[in-house]
Amino acid sequence: MSEALLKDYRLCGEIGRGRFGAVSLCRPLDPNLTGSFAVKSICKASVSGDDLDSQCLLTEPKILSLLSPHPNIVQIYNVYEDSTHLHMVLELCDGPDLHQLIVEGGGPIPEPEVASLFGQLMHAVAHCHRHGVAHRDIKPDNILFDAVCGGRLKLADFGSAASFSVGKGLTQLSGLVGTPYYVAPEVVAGRAYGEKADVWSAGVVLYVMLSGSPPFYGETAVEIFEAVLRANLRFPVRAFRSVSPAAKDLLRRMLCKDVSRRFSAEQVLRHPWIVGGGDANSNDGT
């Protein structure tokens, strides 16, 4: 453990574990500082020197520093490094993640609540894109809530994020990055892609929030990828009976296989369903 980290913070136990390390609760030793924080410790030995994960290991703190502060993005405060680990001191989000919220709630979330939460998510995504950052792994597990701020949504886990050049076209990123249900078809196809891959992933999140199930399903990762590539978007009556036409319109514009026609994050924020707070009587934006 980094000596510099232990001089500044007292570790209070592990609160989570990921692919490359653990997340621990910590409290500052400086009596002038109050509150609790999270320390994300990434084991360097768990990644090799030349692969994409290693690159992200090095860039995640830089990307979070570039994006902070933003009310809907987990904030980074300090970075420490020792011979075995990289440690990031982050804002503590002690509420449930979106996946837990959906599962514990027993299924779909009421539409006005979905619109409020989703608007917060898209403000975070638009902020990333304005700063030349693509998150590349937007999914309910990476959408947290800060109980201290009354349940404000926070986009987290930028371990797969990458930088792109704003204003120089959409085909600047590469690599199969993301989670099968949420990954965009252009990513699955192995083509160069841009930040609109995040919009697709967010669209899948919206679909899951409204219906309780993903739009493109398979028993295996290969079957899921095949369904994503077909991009046959359906709205089963049983799941979407009470969902407004405006919400369905937004889903069509986000889950559009043609990247040139797919909405940007800024366009999503201007859609009547978002502006109207999920009002079922909102115009559908056509």
Side-chain angles (χ1 to χ4, degrees):
M1 184 61 68
S2 166
E3 293 183 6
L5 171 64
L6 295 177
K7 286 181 180 178
D8 293 339
Y9 296 91
R10 176 168 60 90
L11 299 187
C12 305
E14 186 175 309
I15 56 175
R17 181 164 287 274
R19 200 160 42 121
F20 299 122
V23 179
S24 302
L25 180 71
C26 72
R27 293 189 174 91
L29 294 174
D30 186 340
N32 296 316
L33 299 177
T34 59
S36 299
F37 301 86
V39 178
K40 181 178 181 179
S41 299
I42 301 173
C43 177
K44 295 179 180 179
S46 63
V47 292
S48 60
D50 298 324
D51 65 8
L52 182 62
D53 290 323
S54 281
Q55 298 171 28
C56 293
L57 171 70
L58 299 175
T59 59
E60 184 178 8
K62 296 177 183 177
I63 284 175
L64 278 173
S65 297
L66 173 67
L67 298 174
S68 293
H70 186 277
N72 300 118
I73 294 176
V74 169
Q75 187 168 346
I76 187 169
Y77 294 99
N78 288 298
V79 179
Y80 302 87
E81 187 172 0
D82 55 39
S83 59
T84 60
H85 287 78
L86 181 73
H87 309 277
M88 291 179 285
V89 179
L90 304 167
E91 177 180 10
L92 177 66
C93 295
D94 45 6
D97 62 38
L98 182 58
H99 175 76
Q100 293 170 321
L101 191 67
I102 294 170
V103 170
E104 292 172 3
I109 301 170
E111 191 166 329
E113 184 179 350
V114 171
S116 174
L117 296 175
F118 194 70
Q120 294 179 61
L121 172 62
M122 292 313 300
H123 276 292
V125 174
H127 180 75
C128 292
H129 293 176
R130 284 193 294 268
H131 285 77
V133 172
H135 185 282
R136 300 204 295 178
D137 196 19
I138 295 173
K139 59 183 178 180
D141 313 62
N142 290 337
I143 299 169
L144 311 180
F145 295 92
D146 187 343
V148 175
C149 293
R152 180 182 292 161
L153 181 146
K154 302 278 184 175
L155 181 58
D157 198 345
F158 283 74
S160 298
S163 298
F164 63 90
S165 299
V166 178
K168 293 188 177 181
L170 298 173
T171 55
Q172 302 163 66
L173 302 172
S174 62
L176 181 53
V177 180
T179 302
Y181 283 121
Y182 300 90
V183 70
E186 65 268 24
V187 179
V188 177
R191 302 194 299 269
Y193 56 91
E195 69 274 18
K196 283 190 178 181
D198 281 348
V199 176
W200 175 281
S201 300
V204 177
V205 170
L206 177 58
Y207 190 104
V208 171
M209 292 172 76
L210 289 168
S211 71
S213 59
F216 310 109
Y217 180 78
E219 294 290 342
T220 66
V222 171
E223 290 180 1
I224 296 168
F225 287 147
E226 289 173 348
V228 168
L229 286 171
R230 288 193 297 271
N232 185 13
L233 182 62
R234 297 172 181 264
F235 300 112
V237 174
R238 183 174 181 180
F240 281 87
R241 182 179 292 108
S242 61
V243 175
S244 69
K248 294 175 188 175
D249 177 77
L250 178 57
L251 283 167
R252 291 188 189 96
R253 294 171 187 270
M254 298 182 73
L255 298 175
C256 177
K257 188 174 181 179
D258 183 346
V259 179
S260 67
R261 294 175 54 236
R262 188 183 307 161
F263 265 15
S264 67
E266 298 284 358
Q267 286 175 306
V268 171
L269 288 172
R270 294 195 297 269
H271 190 276
W273 186 77
I274 295 289
V275 175
D279 182 356
N281 296 316
S282 298
N283 294 325
D284 64 6
T286 57

